[in-house]
Amino acid sequence: MDYSALAAELLSFRTALHHLPAVRGLDEMSGGEYFVLHFLLRHGGTAGPSELSRSLYASSARIAALLKHLEAKGWIVRTPDADDERRVDVVLTEAGAACIRERLGAVLDEVSVLLSALSPEEAAEIEAAGARQVSLGRRILRG
């Protein structure tokens, strides 16, 4: 098996998905904004900067810059931690939640239409392959 050719093919698939209008809408968010908003949405709307840094594999400086941009857009607020005033909680605002839900919903709708052309077996194969990629990627990131 030529793994370099397979890697090139997988990247071309990803590039092709970026041509979908809804995916381009996600790309309009600056680098990392989508990931922070999506993380907050999936984790109850609140997290600490260090939790975001660990979970998103980003430096604390990168997270601080992202939070500054998200706060300026009104998509998050930073509030003092209730238990430790030296710490800060990052809280997803209603506007931030609406933004990520809208954009994510549009992408899910478009990709669902594409996937509906597959047989149940083909869809299961894609799901299994994607899950395996994520698992391998996480293992590599952990070292």
Side-chain angles (χ1 to χ4, degrees):
M1 160 106 5
D2 182 349
Y3 289 103
S4 292
L6 178 59
E9 188 70 17
L10 288 173
L11 288 175
S12 72
F13 294 154
R14 183 182 168 119
T15 301
L17 282 176
H18 280 276
H19 293 290
L20 295 173
V23 175
R24 283 196 309 266
L26 287 180
D27 288 343
E28 290 170 4
M29 301 174 98
S30 74
E33 288 180 346
Y34 162 79
F35 298 106
V36 170
L37 294 176
H38 190 249
F39 181 90
L40 290 170
L41 185 67
R42 290 182 44 220
H43 293 89
T46 304
S50 59
E51 181 181 5
L52 290 168
S53 180
R54 267 191 321 276
S55 299
L56 302 176
Y57 302 100
S59 69
S60 58
R62 179 70 185 129
I63 292 297
L66 281 169
L67 297 179
K68 180 179 177 181
H69 292 287
L70 291 169
E71 196 166 35
K73 292 178 178 182
W75 292 345
I76 61 115
V77 293
R78 289 183 267 192
T79 61
D81 184 286
D83 298 324
D84 184 348
E85 291 183 9
R86 296 171 298 168
R87 300 179 62 127
V88 172
D89 287 328
V90 178
V91 181
L92 185 64
T93 64
E94 286 298 321
C99 174
I100 194 63
R101 281 188 186 112
E102 177 185 327
R103 292 182 186 204
L104 185 57
V107 170
L108 291 175
D109 288 347
E110 284 189 358
V111 175
S112 294
V113 168
L114 294 175
L115 293 174
S116 70
L118 301 174
S119 71
E121 295 79 19
E122 291 169 325
E125 287 175 23
I126 287 176
E127 181 183 22
R132 183 75 175 136
Q133 285 178 332
V134 169
S135 176
L136 288 170
R138 285 184 178 147
R139 193 175 329 153
I140 289 168
L141 287 171
R142 285 187 211 127

